[in-house]
């Protein structure tokens, strides 16, 4: 399995985000007109004011991005913590499949009748799977589900999704970011 797959949506999101941030900084820094003989004094004043504003604009933009990212991390941790209140011991059949797929200590089983699983975490990603899903699948199907979630972990999809949500939240006024984030989620599921 090639873990270095090309994810065009993520690359597009990075490029467009970089361009949007650059454009935003440029606008906030008051891009000044070309110098001419008649406006030399005005332009000198504008340049002087801009040089004092650039150091203030860049940190404000970085603070806004960091704050948006931290909000998304907090929301994700809160969701996972909610699910982990119903955590149970890993059943033998899941433990056997986890050993086969090299997923030891990376799976949490949640006592829940709903049928779902997901990968979560940036630095120490884990797979959460419900007892409802386990009960509804045979071993080969469970292996396929865990392989799917393992691919998310190996491709760093939890981080990519977090980054996509952060950017779409930060640039809520530009619908293209929301669409790219949705496309990125769909393509990572398809891969």
């Amino acid at each position: 399995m090639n873990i270095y797959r090309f994810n065009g949506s993520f690359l597009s999101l990075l490029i467009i985000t970089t361009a949007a941030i650059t454009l935003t900084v440029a606008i906030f820094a008051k891009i000044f007109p070309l110098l001419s003989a008649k406006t030399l004094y005005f332009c000198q004043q504008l340049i002087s004011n801009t040089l004092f504003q650039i150091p203030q604009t860049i940190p404000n933009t970085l603070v806004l991005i960091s704050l948006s990212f931290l909000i998304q991390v907090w929301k994700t941790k809160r969701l996972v913590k909610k699910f982990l209140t119903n955590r149970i011991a890993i059943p033998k059949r899941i433990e056997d499949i986890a050993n086969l797929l090299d997923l030891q200590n990376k799976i949490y089983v949640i006592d829940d009748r709903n049928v779902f699983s997901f990968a979560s975490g940036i630095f120490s990603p884990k797979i959460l799977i419900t007892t409802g899903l386990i009960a509804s699948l045979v071993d080969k199907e469970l292996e396929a589900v865990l392989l799917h979630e393992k691919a998310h972990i190996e491709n760093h999809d939890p981080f990519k999704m977090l980054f996509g949500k952060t950017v779409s939240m930060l640039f809520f006024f530009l619908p293209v970011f929301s669409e790219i984030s949705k496309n990125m989620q769909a393509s990572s599921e398809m891969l």
Side-chain angles (χ1 to χ4, degrees), residues 42-141:
F42 171 74
C43 289
Q44 287 174 341
Q45 290 298 318
L46 186 61
I47 291 169
S48 175
N49 290 340
T50 302
L51 290 177
F52 287 113
Q53 289 177 2
I54 288 175
Q56 295 170 357
T57 304
I58 292 173
N60 290 343
T61 304
L62 293 176
V63 165
L64 189 59
I65 291 170
S66 300
L67 184 62
S68 298
F69 187 77
L70 290 174
I71 288 170
Q72 289 301 319
V73 168
W74 176 74
K75 285 180 176 181
T76 303
K77 283 192 171 282
R78 191 175 66 173
L79 176 69
V80 170
K81 187 176 181 180
K82 174 186 161 196
F83 285 127
L84 289 180
T85 59
N86 296 331
R87 182 177 169 196
I88 62 170
I90 298 177
K92 177 74 171 127
R93 68 189 272 221
I94 297 296
E95 190 175 323
D96 292 342
I97 295 171
N99 290 333
L100 178 70
L101 300 177
D102 196 28
L103 288 172
Q104 301 88 349
N105 302 320
K106 291 187 179 183
I107 299 175
Y108 292 144
V109 177
I110 310 303
D111 188 20
D112 192 330
R113 291 187 313 194
N114 292 309
V115 179
F116 66 89
S117 68
F118 63 93
S120 178
I122 297 173
F123 301 113
S124 178
K126 303 288 185 196
I127 297 171
L128 282 77
I129 186 169
T130 62
T131 54
L133 182 61
I134 294 169
S136 67
L137 301 176
V138 297
D139 286 353
K140 282 294 182 188
E141 293 169 326

Side-chain angles (χ1 to χ4, degrees), residues 6 39-40 87 110 125 149 173-174:
F6 177 73
T39 60
L40 184 58
R87 182 177 169 196
I110 310 303
E149 298 303 336
F173 50 91
L174 296 172

